[in-house]
Amino acid sequence: MKSSLPWLSWRLLFSRKTMFGGSAPLALLGLVLGVAALVASMAVMSGFENTLKTAMAEVSGHAQVVKRSRFPDDWKELEERIRKAEPTLVNTSRFVFIEAVLANKGQISGVLIQGVDTQRVNEVLNFKRRVLSGTDDLNVASDVPLALVGKNLAKKMNLNVGDTFRVVVPVADSVDPSKFQRRVGAFKVQGILDLGKHDWNERFILSDLKATQDLADIGDRYSGLLLKFQDVDHARDAAFNLSAVLGSPYWVRDWRDANENLFEAINVERPGIFFVVLVITIVAAFNVSATLFVNVVRRFKDIAILKTVGLSQKDIMKIFVCQGLFMGLVGIVLGFALGVGIAYLFEFMQGRLSLISGEVYRLENIELQIRFVDGVAICVATLVICLIATIAPARRGAKLEPVEGLRSE
């Protein structure tokens, strides 16, 4: 008899009389909406963090070693020192940053040009999956240096693949450093990229290292090395280690450093949002409790008969506890389905309706992610809340005397 208690709970809870009458449908709907809200909100938070992390790692490398001095040095020697300190290093690529003004068709815009070693950059960075039009290959023979341009900059300056544009770079006078000379260079658009971050899409240009050095008239000098490790999550520990090994002549930062405040905000806000949205589930639990109380009243005769045939108070309590847990499980399954649907709908609509403001959130699109740990936390929290909500009605039903139940009929 006791082995059939879960079956009895299921039959009593999901009978036509219970599910299509009273507050049971509303209680279940509240649970479904609460779980769906939790799933969707956690997917957005985790997706924001993962999208920002991926953009930083793919566009700026797992870590950067930046030279503090402007004197030329042997970059191969520096790479060897890094490799000895961090055996998990996959590869490196030299880079240089210069600020310039882009002019095209009567429009001007401030830009940031990053010159990279085109022979190595694809082993460190990943632009291939970010190409919207054109190609990311900068090694194609051309009489004009090739460049990759952020999508917003290309749209603002009316640039298309194959167009040639000019940039102006201020260079300090070799005789009088307080004066600047103007150097003008031309580039040809080889590809248009979605770089992930709003500010990069607004002003980022990627080109060949040699062409950028010639434009800035800096000879063979470079800003530093872009690094890629076997594991992106190892980059922070590697950066601390390299800072100690390389010393003060170099500044080492990992992919997280540039947006440390955003990542910290996510870590702080994620549990806060979880518990705020969990309130919906807690409110729904009151409906679950009320539904079970009503079920106890409606099932006086059934409870009396069950006690008459030998079920104890503990068995009756188990029946109603199982009912609460069954309702929680159904709410979790339906809530997850609805939450995943809402998440995918949001991901589908965000690019078409501009739901995410890049100027505010740094990102223009979020690749939503439902983490396993978030799913477990949602399931456990929902079941615990439903379990607590069943205690009072379960005790009320267990204390019912058989004579009282039969008399009520």
Side-chain angles (χ1 to χ4, degrees), residues 102-361:
L102 185 153
N104 185 61
K105 299 178 182 179
Q107 295 180 306
I108 61 173
S109 178
V111 296
L112 183 65
I113 303 176
Q114 176 175 305
V116 294
D117 184 347
T118 56
Q119 302 298 324
R120 288 181 160 219
V121 66
N122 289 331
E123 299 177 16
V124 178
L125 307 181
N126 183 13
F127 292 111
K128 192 173 296 293
R129 80 181 194 95
R130 298 189 173 275
V131 176
L132 299 179
S133 61
T135 176
D136 67 328
D137 187 2
L138 296 176
N139 293 312
V140 178
S142 175
D143 54 345
V144 179
L146 302 176
L148 305 177
V149 182
K151 65 174 185 177
N152 292 348
L153 178 62
K155 181 179 180 180
K156 180 171 61 176
M157 303 302 293
N158 297 316
L159 292 172
N160 297 302
V161 176
D163 290 350
T164 300
F165 60 90
R166 295 185 180 276
V167 294
V168 181
V169 178
V171 179
D173 191 284
S174 58
V175 178
D176 185 358
S178 64
K179 297 181 180 180
F180 290 88
Q181 297 178 349
R182 181 179 61 187
R183 293 183 63 85
V184 180
F187 291 90
K188 182 179 179 180
V189 179
Q190 178 73 351
I192 296 175
L193 309 178
D194 180 359
L195 296 163
K197 287 185 62 183
H198 176 75
D199 49 344
W200 285 344
N201 285 329
E202 286 284 331
R203 60 193 301 261
F204 191 87
I205 297 175
L206 186 80
S207 187
D208 176 62
L209 176 65
K210 185 65 170 61
T212 308
Q213 290 172 332
D214 291 343
L215 175 62
D217 193 24
I218 58 176
D220 195 39
R221 297 202 306 269
Y222 62 97
S223 300
L225 295 180
L226 302 173
L227 312 180
K228 181 179 181 179
F229 301 100
Q230 294 175 2
D231 183 6
V232 64
D233 294 320
H234 176 65
R236 169 137 294 195
D237 294 335
F240 282 122
N241 182 37
L242 291 175
S243 294
V245 172
L246 299 178
S248 59
Y250 299 95
W251 174 40
V252 184
R253 67 175 185 175
D254 66 295
W255 56 267
R256 187 184 175 104
D257 286 336
N259 292 276
E260 184 71 34
N261 58 336
L262 282 178
F263 288 109
E264 287 297 326
I266 293 170
N267 291 334
V268 171
E269 291 173 5
R270 179 185 282 116
I273 290 177
F274 181 88
F275 285 110
V276 168
V277 180
L278 188 64
V279 171
I280 300 175
T281 307
I282 295 174
V283 172
F286 283 100
N287 277 334
V288 172
S289 184
T291 298
L292 293 180
F293 264 117
V294 172
N295 206 21
V296 167
V297 174
R298 289 183 173 184
R299 299 291 182 178
F300 267 8
K301 180 180 178 181
D302 297 327
I303 295 171
I305 293 173
L306 290 174
K307 282 196 168 187
T308 302
V309 297
L311 264 66
S312 64
Q313 287 191 1
K314 184 180 292 186
D315 295 330
I316 300 298
M317 281 195 68
K318 287 180 180 179
I319 289 176
F320 287 101
V321 168
C322 286
Q323 285 187 348
L325 292 179
F326 281 144
M327 187 170 287
L329 287 172
V330 173
I332 288 172
V333 173
L334 297 179
F336 260 90
L338 179 61
V340 171
I342 293 173
Y344 278 110
L345 178 63
F346 174 83
E347 190 169 13
F348 175 77
M349 297 299 295
Q350 63 180 332
R352 292 161 176 78
L353 300 180
S354 300
L355 300 178
I356 303 296
S357 173
E359 296 179 354
V360 177
Y361 297 103

Side-chain angles (χ1 to χ4, degrees), residues 8-28 288 290-296 298-299 302 320 323 327:
L8 281 173
S9 302
W10 181 272
R11 292 286 296 175
L12 291 173
L13 177 62
F14 293 99
S15 64
R16 184 184 300 273
K17 181 179 179 182
T18 303
M19 290 306 299
F20 296 97
S23 60
L26 292 178
L28 185 59
V288 172
T291 298
L292 293 180
F293 264 117
V294 172
N295 206 21
V296 167
R298 289 183 173 184
R299 299 291 182 178
D302 297 327
F320 287 101
Q323 285 187 348
M327 187 170 287

